[in-house]
Amino acid sequence: MARPMTMTEKIFAAHAGLPEVQPGQLIEAKLDLVLGNDITTPPAIKEFEQISDKVFDKDKIALVPDHFTPNKDIKSAEMAKTMREFARKHNITHYFEVGRMGIEHVLLPEQGLVAPGEIIIGADSHTCTYGAVGAFATGVGSTDMACAMATGETWFKVPASIKVELTGKLAKWVSGKDVVLKLIGMIGVDGARYQSLEFAGEGIASLTMTDRLTIANMAIEAGAKNGIFPVDAITRQYLDGRVKKPYTPVAADPDAEYVRTVTINLSELTPVVALPHLPENVRPVSDMAPTPIHQVVIGSCTNGRIEDLAQAAAIIDGHQVHEDVRAIIIPGSQDVYLEAVKLGYVEIFVKAGAVVSTPTCGPCLGGHMGILAKGERAVATTNRNFRGRMGHVDSEVYLAGPAVAAASAVLGRIAGPEEVA
């Protein structure tokens, strides 16, 4: 009989054609989807063209221009052009042009391109987002992407797994962002280095898919190879009508081996913020001294979904953005944008004095649409607050969920939602 296995181990075994795998083992596995964006795809194309003239499967490659788009300068326009022409040359099914695109890790689950039991790699570190639907998903470099586009396979070292046991239920204004920041604060930014974070426990049932996507998205910020959730009724409801292909969910064996177990009682969590310059510098918002800010960004692949905008709108409604603050709202996809218009959220934001952007990764990586100057301080629902991440090396980024970000925009300082709502 095969050894008891975790979710990640079962997915690897199935895709490698093996009865079992174990941590540390090197395998070659077939891929269900290969992802690239406008920054990582052009160098991948250069490498691809040295080894092949044909992609392995035009339906299993997704190309999304989202980082420097709409193009901010000539160089970014040339990079997007390279990807666009490659997509046309190889008839790539899932190429998403400006006007029909979104932030990649919001767009792909929304469009049903990722499913339980699959292996997905992407030339972007936050590809681990798709673990929310019970897939193994991880980021790779452009060279690995190139080889994967040619062969449909890649190699992995099977990671050991950490079980994250979730109990209880989230209180009002507490979201998946608070859960994952709490976890990173507990184990550190290298606490799960090249390991799988496998979420379990009765507390999962209280988490929305938006919560799960946010948590899986930031698994990489704890150093993890991937983060993965079991498939339950909430997952199936989300996938129903989105995913058109057959898929095979996996479940961890009851006696699967974990290197350790971390327990989080969701009922005890309060809104938190991660101070500069690491996501592990986590502190309850209620413990923060008055800290004035200059900018708020609500969006990104971490918190750019409609539920995120709904939470922000509920707090901002009836208020004005503080006169010293620039508030930037970025819907994660065209569908999210349209829904936000229909529900009146965009009107709330604009009337409050915020700007609403087209879907883009722009400010998260210090690219465009919200760069910080020397000495400026921002609250952002993004995923990284490294020195210089959003602009000048002497600027500061505080990570938080949409509720804290929205309250901070209104009060002009880092604030909890209960101070406004």
Side-chain angles (χ1 to χ4, degrees), residues 343-361:
L343 293 172
Y345 301 157
V346 171
E347 183 176 357
I348 289 171
F349 297 141
V350 172
K351 283 185 173 180
V355 63
V356 182
S357 164
T358 184
T360 180
C361 300

Side-chain angles (χ1 to χ4, degrees), residues 13-345:
H15 284 71
L18 300 172
E20 65 178 48
V21 297
Q22 57 187 349
Q25 182 177 348
L26 296 178
I27 63 167
E28 289 188 6
K30 296 186 180 300
L31 303 172
D32 295 290
L33 190 70
V34 179
L35 166 69
N37 58 50
D38 48 317
I39 292 179
T40 59
T41 301
I45 290 171
K46 182 178 180 180
E47 296 303 316
F48 172 89
E49 291 177 342
Q50 296 184 50
I51 59 175
S52 180
D53 58 3
K54 183 179 180 181
V55 298
F56 82 103
D57 190 329
K58 67 182 181 64
D59 297 326
K60 292 185 177 182
I61 296 171
L63 302 179
V64 186
D66 62 354
H67 276 58
F68 288 138
T69 51
N71 301 137
K72 74 180 186 71
D73 54 24
I74 295 172
K75 185 174 182 179
S76 62
E78 292 292 343
M79 294 172 73
K81 180 184 178 184
T82 297
M83 185 166 71
R84 182 181 302 116
E85 291 178 345
F86 179 85
R88 290 173 177 168
K89 176 181 178 180
H90 295 277
N91 198 27
I92 302 300
T93 305
H94 303 298
Y95 169 69
F96 296 90
E97 187 57 272
V98 171
R100 293 178 291 277
M101 49 73 79
I103 299 172
E104 54 195 328
H105 307 311
V106 174
L107 184 69
L108 266 57
E110 173 189 279
Q111 297 298 314
L113 297 184
V114 294
E118 293 187 335
I119 291 184
I120 301 127
I121 64 168
D124 185 277
S125 58
H126 292 103
T127 301
C128 50
T129 304
Y130 315 130
V133 301
F136 173 86
T138 197
V140 299
S142 292
T143 303
D144 287 319
M145 178 189 173
C147 295
M149 288 196 299
T151 66
E153 299 181 0
T154 196
W155 70 275
F156 297 96
K157 183 173 77 170
V158 179
S161 295
I162 296 172
K163 179 186 281 190
V164 182
E165 189 83 20
L166 302 178
T167 63
K169 186 177 181 179
L170 295 179
K172 185 178 181 180
W173 302 127
V174 182
S175 69
K177 186 60 159 289
D178 300 295
V179 177
V180 71
L181 288 177
K182 173 68 175 179
L183 174 61
I184 297 168
M186 292 171 67
I187 69 175
V189 293
D190 60 352
R193 186 169 52 198
Y194 209 96
Q195 295 176 326
S196 174
L197 288 173
E198 185 164 299
F199 295 89
E202 49 88 13
I204 288 178
S206 71
L207 298 178
T208 66
M209 281 307 301
T210 292
D211 289 326
R212 301 177 195 197
L213 288 160
T214 296
I215 294 168
N217 174 273
M218 289 188 66
I220 183 63
E221 311 311 337
K225 184 68 174 175
N226 70 306
I228 189 166
F229 279 82
V231 175
D232 61 8
I234 293 173
T235 318
R236 293 187 180 91
Q237 183 180 21
Y238 178 82
L239 298 176
D240 187 32
R242 297 178 188 272
V243 176
K244 311 298 184 184
K245 52 188 172 180
Y247 58 82
T248 305
V250 300
D253 291 320
D255 49 351
E257 296 180 9
Y258 299 92
V259 293
R260 62 168 162 158
T261 298
V262 178
T263 301
I264 298 177
N265 185 343
L266 302 178
S267 302
E268 296 176 352
L269 299 186
T270 61
V272 299
V273 60
L275 283 64
H277 294 281
L278 287 174
E280 70 182 14
N281 296 335
V282 178
R283 184 179 302 173
V285 174
S286 57
D287 291 352
M288 290 290 295
T291 307
I293 61 171
H294 306 91
Q295 178 169 292
V296 165
V297 175
I298 299 174
S300 87
C301 63
T302 313
N303 285 118
R305 298 172 182 85
I306 193 64
E307 293 83 0
D308 300 309
L309 301 191
Q311 195 172 67
I315 291 170
I316 292 176
D317 193 14
H319 299 281
Q320 286 290 302
V321 171
H322 193 278
E323 62 182 359
D324 295 331
V325 175
R326 310 179 299 273
I328 302 167
I329 316 292
I330 305 179
S333 71
Q334 290 289 87
D335 284 356
V336 172
Y337 202 136
L338 186 58
E339 187 71 7
V341 171
K342 290 179 179 177
L343 293 172
Y345 301 157

